[in-house]
């Protein structure tokens, strides 16, 4: 795919992204994927902290290429008077501002809601923080691991009786970004029929977003006094449900989460007698006797290769998945057929491959148009469009404003 004009259901929406690392940028990238025009603003010299996180290739930060894809990028020091003034000029023609500075930071720089909306009264302001704009933790620094630990997620991950386990990816940042993007779209819907309405601030706390994702956690404790802790790979609500090893040293994830699936699963493994075994007669009984059913299933699967298991479960319509790594994803025929991994042109790296846009639309096609920009890649273009001369831009570069 090549760098083309934005298309998709959000074409025409303009978003100014002054956020850093993952949660805020992920929210704006989701909008960019769906056609919004997004401008990424970074600090001159150092840029977004994400640029300094692994992995790199030839000193080029790879994570930025995905997290900030479909954006143009400039540098601007918002702490400087000229930087703030240029931000104000940009804000005039944008619909949304995304920021994730620690609560109060922008206010300290004079970039308050009143100042922003004096310039653009309908501006939608998404504020993404770890703990929100209010409450005793509002000024606390935080990272994904903090949010995941405090939401209850980390306590549920890991082997039973062992140390709680952090995931290998900052999933709460992505979850926070999703909720932030939904909040923006909800506010834009509110504004669409009222041309006099003032834009709202959206307070998106990533810890709360992660808590909301764990749907059952609060009501289960409230009504049953039950506290979820780690159970390894075993499903806590259905049995059998685990990761099982095959005879050729591979792994498969299987969950017999309904009665009909369990019955088909038993037939697939050549053990129909388990269907009428009193210990496994229904899902509550199987969850109670999970160790017994798990041992039986694990032993049966350990005698099969992954391909043999795949064929049996496909025949009996039992859902399962081999445990994929990135190489498996790239080679999978379904993902190839759907172009789930797409190739994108990049000025620094050449063609790069990354995930497709999700979801897809029948009438307003979406695409990955460009990988994330190099630091300040579009400075000349953007600032010239504001009316700055070449000498103005050179002066701002020299004094560190851009």
């Amino acid at each position: 795919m090549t760098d083309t004009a934005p298309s998709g259901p959000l074409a025409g929406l303009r978003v100014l992204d002054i956020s850093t690392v993952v949660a805020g940028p992920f929210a704006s990238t989701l909008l960019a994927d769906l056609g919004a025009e997004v401008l990424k603003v970074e600090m001159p010299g150092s840029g977004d902290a994400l640029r300094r996180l692994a992995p790199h290739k030839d000193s080029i930060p790879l994570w930025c290429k995905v997290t900030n894809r479909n954006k143009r990028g400039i540098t601007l020091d918002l702490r400087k008077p000229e930087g703030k003034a240029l931000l104000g000029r940009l804000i005039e023609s944008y619909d949304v501002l995304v920021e994730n500075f620690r609560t109060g930071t922008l206010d300290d720089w004079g970039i308050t809601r009143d100042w922003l909306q004096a310039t653009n009264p309908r501006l939608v302001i998404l504020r993404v923080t770890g703990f929100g704009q209010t409450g005793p933790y509002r000024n606390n620094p935080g990272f994904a691991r903090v949010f995941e630990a405090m939401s209850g997620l980390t306590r549920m991950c890991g082997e039973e009786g062992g140390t709680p386990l952090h995931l290998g990816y900052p999933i709460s940042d992505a979850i926070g970004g999703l909720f932030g993007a939904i909040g923006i779209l909800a506010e834009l819907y509110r504004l669409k029929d009222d041309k006099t309405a003032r834009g709202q601030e959206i307070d998106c706390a990533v810890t709360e977003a992660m808590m909301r994702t764990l749907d059952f956690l609060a009501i289960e404790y409230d009504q049953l006094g039950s506290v979820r802790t780690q159970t390894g790979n075993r499903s806590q609500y259905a049995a059998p449900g685990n990761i099982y090893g095959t005879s050729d040293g591979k792994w498969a994830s299987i969950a017999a989460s309904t009665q009909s699936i369990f019955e088909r699963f038993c037939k697939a493994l050549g053990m129909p007698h388990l269907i009428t075994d009193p210990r496994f007669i229904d899902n509550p009984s199987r969850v109670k006797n999970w160790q017994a059913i798990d041992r039986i299933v694990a032993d049966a699967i350990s005698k099969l290769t992954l391909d043999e298991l795949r064929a049996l479960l496909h025949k009996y319509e039992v859902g399962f998945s081999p445990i994929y790594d990135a190489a498996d994803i790239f080679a999978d025929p379904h993902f190839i057929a759907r172009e789930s991994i797409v190739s994108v042109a990049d000025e620094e790296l050449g063609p790069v491959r990354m995930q497709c846009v999700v979801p897809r639309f029948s009438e307003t096609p979406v695409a990955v148009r460009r990988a994330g920009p190099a630091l300040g890649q579009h400075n000349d273009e953007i600032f010239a469009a504001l009316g700055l001369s070449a000498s103005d831009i050179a002066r701002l570069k020299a004094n560190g404003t851009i």
Side-chain angles (χ1 to χ4, degrees), residues 244-268:
Y244 302 97
T246 59
S247 64
D248 52 348
K250 298 182 180 178
W251 301 93
S253 180
I254 301 171
S257 51
T258 68
Q259 187 65 25
S260 60
I261 293 174
F262 172 71
E263 292 177 6
R264 295 199 302 273
F265 183 49
C266 292
K267 293 173 183 176

Side-chain angles (χ1 to χ4, degrees), residues 89 315 360:
R89 293 177 64 180
K315 177 181 177 181
R360 307 179 189 209

Side-chain angles (χ1 to χ4, degrees), residues 160 234-242 244 262 274 276-298:
E160 188 167 7
R234 176 176 66 86
S235 170
Q236 298 190 25
Y237 50 85
N242 214 325
Y244 302 97
F262 172 71
L274 295 180
T276 55
D277 188 315
R279 296 173 298 171
F280 314 136
I281 199 69
D282 55 26
N283 188 62
S285 300
R286 293 192 294 275
V287 171
K288 180 181 178 181
N289 296 290
W290 70 268
Q291 290 176 312
I293 188 66
D294 227 31
R295 282 194 297 268
I296 294 169
V297 168

Side-chain angles (χ1 to χ4, degrees), residues 155 157-164 229-232 234:
R155 191 66 179 89
C157 300
E159 292 299 324
E160 188 167 7
T163 303
T229 58
Q230 61 268 37
T231 57
R234 176 176 66 86

